[in-house]
Amino acid sequence: MSIGMSVAEVASEHLSVLNAAIALAVVDAVPNLRIKWPNDLVVPGVADGADLKVAGILSEVHPGSDGAGPWLVAGVGINLNWTTMPEDLAATATSLDIVLGRKQPYVQQPR
Protein backbone atom coordinates (compact mmCIF):
# COMPACT_ATOMS: atom_id res chain seq x y z
CA MET A 1 0.00 0.00 0.00
CA SER A 2 1.31 3.44 -0.86
CA ILE A 3 0.16 6.91 0.04
CA GLY A 4 1.22 10.38 -0.96
CA MET A 5 0.87 13.54 1.08
CA SER A 6 2.11 17.06 1.04
CA VAL A 7 4.99 17.79 3.40
CA ALA A 8 5.23 21.43 2.42
CA GLU A 9 4.58 22.44 6.05
CA VAL A 10 7.24 20.11 7.45
CA ALA A 11 10.63 21.65 8.14
CA SER A 12 13.32 20.02 6.00
CA GLU A 13 15.30 18.95 9.08
CA HIS A 14 12.27 16.90 10.23
CA LEU A 15 11.69 15.01 6.98
CA SER A 16 14.06 12.23 8.03
CA VAL A 17 11.80 11.17 10.92
CA LEU A 18 8.76 10.55 8.73
CA ASN A 19 9.80 6.95 7.95
CA ALA A 20 10.16 6.30 11.69
CA ALA A 21 6.70 7.78 12.31
CA ILE A 22 5.22 5.43 9.72
CA ALA A 23 6.98 2.45 11.30
CA LEU A 24 5.65 3.41 14.73
CA ALA A 25 2.12 3.74 13.32
CA VAL A 26 2.28 0.24 11.82
CA VAL A 27 3.50 -1.41 15.03
CA ASP A 28 0.84 0.52 16.94
CA ALA A 29 -1.78 -1.02 14.64
CA VAL A 30 -0.17 -4.50 14.73
CA PRO A 31 1.35 -4.83 18.20
CA ASN A 32 2.97 -8.24 17.55
CA LEU A 33 5.43 -6.63 15.16
CA ARG A 34 8.75 -5.06 16.08
CA ILE A 35 10.71 -2.44 14.18
CA LYS A 36 14.12 -3.37 12.88
CA TRP A 37 15.45 0.09 12.12
CA PRO A 38 15.34 1.79 9.78
CA ASN A 39 12.62 0.23 7.63
CA ASP A 40 11.88 -3.44 8.37
CA LEU A 41 9.02 -4.83 10.41
CA VAL A 42 9.69 -8.22 11.96
CA VAL A 43 7.89 -10.89 13.93
CA PRO A 44 10.11 -11.51 16.95
CA GLY A 45 11.37 -14.95 17.83
CA VAL A 46 9.39 -17.18 15.45
CA ALA A 47 12.27 -19.20 13.99
CA ASP A 48 14.37 -20.67 16.78
CA GLY A 49 14.34 -17.28 18.48
CA ALA A 50 15.25 -15.33 15.33
CA ASP A 51 13.25 -12.34 14.12
CA LEU A 52 11.72 -12.81 10.67
CA LYS A 53 10.89 -9.93 8.34
CA VAL A 54 7.23 -9.70 7.48
CA ALA A 55 7.04 -6.17 6.05
CA GLY A 56 9.09 -3.24 4.85
CA ILE A 57 8.63 0.51 4.58
CA LEU A 58 9.92 2.76 1.84
CA SER A 59 9.41 6.50 1.85
CA GLU A 60 10.71 9.18 -0.48
CA VAL A 61 10.30 12.91 -0.61
CA HIS A 62 9.71 14.30 -4.10
CA PRO A 63 9.85 17.96 -5.08
CA GLY A 64 6.48 19.42 -5.87
CA SER A 65 5.56 20.99 -9.16
CA ASP A 66 3.66 24.16 -9.93
CA GLY A 67 4.57 25.63 -6.54
CA ALA A 68 2.83 22.82 -4.61
CA GLY A 69 5.84 22.10 -2.39
CA PRO A 70 7.38 18.70 -1.63
CA TRP A 71 5.42 15.46 -1.34
CA LEU A 72 6.09 12.34 0.66
CA VAL A 73 5.36 9.05 -1.07
CA ALA A 74 5.38 6.18 1.43
CA GLY A 75 4.67 2.51 0.98
CA VAL A 76 4.32 -0.44 3.31
CA GLY A 77 4.77 -3.86 1.76
CA ILE A 78 3.46 -6.77 3.81
CA ASN A 79 3.98 -10.46 3.11
CA LEU A 80 0.37 -11.58 3.48
CA ASN A 81 -0.63 -14.90 2.01
CA TRP A 82 2.50 -16.89 1.33
CA THR A 83 1.91 -20.42 2.60
CA THR A 84 5.62 -21.21 2.29
CA MET A 85 8.62 -18.96 1.81
CA PRO A 86 11.12 -19.46 -0.99
CA GLU A 87 14.13 -21.40 0.26
CA ASP A 88 16.48 -18.42 -0.08
CA LEU A 89 14.21 -16.29 2.16
CA ALA A 90 12.98 -18.85 4.70
CA ALA A 91 15.75 -18.09 7.22
CA THR A 92 15.07 -14.33 7.23
CA ALA A 93 11.44 -13.72 6.23
CA THR A 94 7.91 -14.96 6.84
CA SER A 95 4.30 -14.05 6.05
CA LEU A 96 1.26 -13.28 8.16
CA ASP A 97 -0.37 -16.44 6.76
CA ILE A 98 2.48 -18.56 8.15
CA VAL A 99 2.64 -16.76 11.51
CA LEU A 100 -1.12 -16.70 12.12
CA GLY A 101 -1.90 -20.00 10.40
CA ARG A 102 -4.64 -18.60 8.15
CA LYS A 103 -5.14 -16.52 5.03
CA GLN A 104 -5.38 -12.78 5.62
CA PRO A 105 -8.31 -10.90 4.14
CA TYR A 106 -7.51 -7.88 2.04
CA VAL A 107 -9.14 -5.65 -0.51
CA GLN A 108 -7.26 -5.12 -3.74
CA GLN A 109 -7.47 -1.48 -4.68
CA PRO A 110 -8.19 -0.59 -8.29
CA ARG A 111 -5.23 0.82 -10.17
Side-chain angles (χ1 to χ4, degrees):
M1 172 182 77
S2 296
I3 61 167
M5 66 180 129
S6 172
V7 289
E9 301 295 321
V10 178
S12 60
E13 64 269 16
H14 295 144
L15 291 174
S16 63
V17 300
L18 293 174
N19 200 74
I22 294 165
L24 290 168
V26 173
V27 297
D28 188 48
V30 186
N32 294 342
L33 298 182
R34 186 178 67 75
I35 302 167
K36 180 180 174 188
W37 299 105
N39 60 353
D40 289 343
L41 300 168
V42 298
V43 178
V46 270
D48 298 327
D51 296 346
L52 296 179
K53 181 177 177 178
V54 73
I57 299 168
L58 177 63
S59 60
E60 298 177 337
V61 176
H62 294 273
S65 60
D66 299 328
W71 282 78
L72 172 77
V73 178
V76 178
I78 303 172
N79 299 335
L80 283 178
N81 292 320
W82 297 42
T83 55
T84 59
M85 296 305 290
E87 188 175 320
D88 59 328
L89 297 176
T92 59
T94 191
S95 74
L96 289 182
D97 182 14
I98 294 169
V99 171
L100 299 175
R102 65 182 185 278
K103 293 279 186 201
Q104 302 308 302
Y106 67 95
V107 175
Q108 186 167 351
Q109 298 298 318
R111 292 183 178 248

